[in-house]
Amino acid sequence: MNVIKLKFSLKQITPMIHFQNENGATIRATELKPKLDRFILLWMVYENNKVKCNEQKIDSETEILKRIVKEKDYDNWIIDEKHIALNYKMRIKAICKDENINLLNHSNKRQKYLGNADYILDNRNKDEEDKYVSTFSKKILVEIICFDELLADKIIELLPILIDLTAFGLQQSKGYGNFRVNKIFKENKKQQYKPDIERNYIKLLKNFNTINNNVLIYKLKKGFNGYEKSLDEIAKLNGLIKKGMVTKVYEPDYLKNNESIINEKTAMKIHLRNKGYKIKNIPKSLNLDNNKVYYTRGLLGIAQKYDFAVTKCTNPRGNEINIEFVVKVTDKEEGKALRFPSPLHYHVAKDYKTIYIVINNKSLQVLQQLNPKIEFVGKIGDVSIGNISAQLSQKEEFDLEKFFDFVVLRKNENISKLEDNQNG
């Protein structure tokens, strides 16, 4: 049996937020290896034009992989068919942990990246419970022992693309936990590799967009001085995108029947008004019609809990209230609970001059076709205030590319769409 030793040197770009507070804490091999296994197989499925799946299923990619494994196209690569595991071993080591990670501002208070990052500990309160820590290592080594030459070459080809596409830890979709492959070694000999995130993204588009626009990629080229400014810019951009999902100031063609839609926040306020709460800026003529309530924010990811403060809203005692809504999303046919993480992921270039927005457009389209049942179960403290039903806009009602053109590109001349015919 051939034993091939590979080594990848990674450069950390942004802090990783997680629960591990011990020295050497970094990306876990138990997280990276399954992602790499799936990515390699899925890449080869599209590369070999073997894409056949049920587009109505939100786990359609898993269906593809299980079918390929069952057909044993890569029989000598697979060590565990049940968990879709490939035949190699991985170990990850963090070197030179940076203890001076900048989480504090000049007033000695925690920076609030993304609007609220109070769940991050600074170095003075490591024993505080129910908090996460933020780590930054100057160098990460991914060591792999592989038992097949062709599989080893595929890992060399695709691990850098996966690392450019993936982040790790908490808030990974918002720019935290970014890493980039810096150097590659095979049998302790340095391989020719020039780090180029844009070239890797163009390869990604060419491979996965042969049939549909499964992946959309936009880039903000501006130039930032370190990860702090990059994370702040991501927070602003993410806020703009979310605001664009619910605004009614204009009638864009990316959201059909916009004027007849009641967003979930407005529906909640009408519901409270009907319960006797005082709500300003809600016309008395506006009634709660569940057929018109749309959870448009849900197209950009559905969280299990949904907290917000209702402004200009008081209970009969004159107190301002906070509402917690638990969101239940289920398959209408099977009644199974569905999870839908954000299809938007932000990735920071190694030199901090560019931020990329990678969108899993296929996962959004599958969710729209599935048209799940959405219900908000509301509480004020321990008191229930009832349920609100909502729905998602279908593909013919909401077009994500048109949305980005209208809301994002139109307002920022530094943002452009990455096309697969561009030179990497």
Side-chain angles (χ1 to χ4, degrees):
M1 179 184 291
N2 288 338
V3 177
I4 303 105
K5 295 182 179 179
L6 307 176
K7 188 185 292 183
F8 298 82
S9 174
L10 308 186
K11 178 178 175 59
Q12 187 162 357
I13 306 300
T14 59
M16 179 178 172
I17 306 171
H18 53 165
F19 57 87
Q20 302 176 83
N21 203 12
E22 62 271 15
N23 289 331
T26 184
I27 306 171
R28 290 174 290 126
T30 52
E31 180 182 5
L32 177 56
K33 186 180 184 299
K35 289 182 177 181
L36 180 57
D37 290 352
R38 292 175 64 91
F39 187 69
I40 289 172
L41 287 173
L42 195 62
W43 184 281
M44 297 187 73
V45 166
Y46 278 85
E47 189 175 57
N48 296 325
N49 296 317
K50 289 191 173 184
V51 185
K52 292 179 182 178
C53 66
N54 185 351
E55 294 291 345
Q56 300 292 329
K57 293 290 184 180
I58 203 162
D59 59 351
S60 55
E61 288 186 356
T62 301
E63 287 188 350
I64 293 175
L65 297 182
K66 286 183 176 179
R67 180 179 57 80
I68 289 298
V69 169
K70 190 175 181 180
E71 290 178 1
K72 298 185 182 294
D73 284 21
Y74 315 109
D75 190 37
N76 59 325
W77 289 14
I78 295 168
I79 194 171
D80 185 340
E81 293 187 8
K82 182 179 180 181
H83 298 100
I84 316 177
L86 298 184
N87 189 16
Y88 63 91
K89 297 178 181 178
M90 177 184 289
R91 184 174 67 169
I92 303 177
K93 296 188 297 186
I95 301 173
C96 300
K97 183 178 178 182
D98 189 349
E99 297 291 349
N100 297 315
I101 184 169
N102 183 20
L103 290 178
L104 305 177
N105 61 23
H106 296 299
S107 61
N108 209 33
K109 294 180 180 179
R110 235 180 250 110
Q111 288 278 18
K112 290 191 174 183
Y113 298 127
L114 303 175
N116 186 354
D118 285 340
Y119 44 76
I120 305 174
L121 280 174
D122 59 45
N123 290 327
R124 300 167 301 168
N125 300 305
K126 290 184 178 180
D127 295 328
E128 194 173 346
E129 294 182 359
D130 300 323
K131 295 284 186 177
Y132 292 85
V133 295
S134 186
T135 60
F136 196 102
S137 299
K138 295 180 180 179
K139 187 178 180 182
I140 311 289
L141 288 180
V142 179
E143 297 176 340
I144 292 175
I145 297 177
C146 189
F147 306 100
D148 182 275
E149 189 75 33
L150 292 177
L151 177 57
D153 289 342
K154 212 65 185 176
I155 292 172
I156 290 173
E157 176 191 357
L158 297 182
L159 179 60
I161 299 177
L162 177 69
I163 292 294
D164 285 344
L165 184 69
T166 310
F168 301 87
L170 195 69
Q171 292 282 18
Q172 59 183 254
S173 68
K174 304 300 190 299
Y176 286 95
N178 273 209
F179 299 80
R180 303 283 166 256
V181 172
N182 216 21
K183 299 175 184 176
I184 301 174
F185 299 86
K186 183 178 181 182
E187 301 293 357
N188 293 323
K189 294 181 180 179
K190 187 176 178 181
Q191 296 280 295
Q192 185 176 3
Y193 176 70
K194 182 181 178 182
D196 190 331
I197 186 173
E198 192 155 312
R199 179 187 62 193
N200 285 341
Y201 281 159
I202 290 171
K203 286 182 181 178
L204 183 84
L205 293 173
K206 287 181 176 178
N207 191 69
F208 287 111
N209 287 1
T210 53
I211 299 175
N212 300 305
N213 285 336
N214 294 319
V215 182
L216 303 171
I217 301 179
Y218 297 83
K219 62 178 180 177
L220 169 60
K221 194 169 183 64
K222 197 171 182 181
F224 306 99
N225 183 20
Y227 61 75
E228 299 98 329
K229 296 292 184 182
S230 298
L231 292 173
D232 278 342
E233 189 66 29
I234 288 171
K236 294 175 186 176
L237 183 57
N238 199 57
L240 170 67
I241 292 170
K242 287 193 172 183
K243 184 178 179 181
M245 296 294 291
V246 296
T247 184
K248 285 191 174 185
V249 176
Y250 39 72
E251 296 184 31
D253 61 357
Y254 70 81
L255 188 57
K256 302 289 177 63
N257 303 318
N258 193 40
E259 290 304 313
S260 64
I261 286 177
I262 301 174
N263 69 55
E264 79 287 350
K265 276 193 176 182
T266 301
M268 293 172 192
K269 292 178 181 180
I270 298 172
H271 182 74
L272 286 173
R273 184 199 65 190
N274 294 344
K275 290 279 187 178
Y277 290 83
K278 296 179 181 179
I279 312 283
K280 291 185 178 181
N281 301 325
I282 296 293
K284 293 182 179 180
S285 59
L286 192 59
N287 297 315
L288 184 57
D289 183 348
N290 284 335
N291 293 324
K292 293 183 178 180
V293 180
Y294 280 74
Y295 184 30
T296 53
R297 293 173 202 265
L299 296 171
L300 299 183
I302 299 174
Q304 304 228 335
K305 286 187 177 181
Y306 186 8
D307 302 321
F308 72 96
V310 180
T311 56
K312 299 180 182 178
C313 174
T314 57
N315 62 18
R317 297 178 181 176
N319 300 321
E320 187 174 297
I321 61 170
N322 291 308
I323 309 172
E324 176 184 88
F325 276 81
V326 178
V327 186
K328 293 184 178 181
V329 183
T330 54
D331 186 312
K332 285 182 178 178
E333 293 184 5
E334 300 179 11
K336 294 191 304 183
L338 298 177
R339 180 177 175 272
F340 183 63
S342 174
L344 275 65
H345 276 247
Y346 297 89
H347 297 276
V348 183
K350 184 179 175 181
D351 60 3
Y352 299 105
K353 294 187 182 301
T354 307
I355 294 171
Y356 293 90
I357 311 165
V358 180
I359 304 173
N360 188 343
N361 195 36
K362 181 184 176 183
S363 70
L364 173 59
Q365 292 175 353
V366 170
L367 181 73
Q368 288 175 309
Q369 290 171 353
L370 189 62
N371 193 19
K373 179 182 177 182
I374 301 174
E375 187 178 42
F376 292 91
V377 182
K379 286 186 176 182
I380 301 174
D382 294 327
V383 180
S384 173
I385 59 169
N387 303 345
I388 296 172
S389 297
Q391 56 187 305
L392 292 175
S393 297
Q394 296 301 294
K395 184 178 178 181
E396 60 273 13
E397 296 173 319
F398 177 85
D399 187 292
L400 192 54
E401 285 187 84
K402 289 182 178 179
F403 167 79
F404 259 75
D405 287 344
F406 193 91
V407 174
V408 182
L409 302 186
R410 186 177 66 92
K411 291 192 174 184
N412 196 323
E413 61 182 12
N414 296 311
I415 296 182
S416 60
K417 186 179 178 184
L418 188 64
E419 305 285 357
D420 61 13
N421 59 358
Q422 291 179 230
N423 294 322

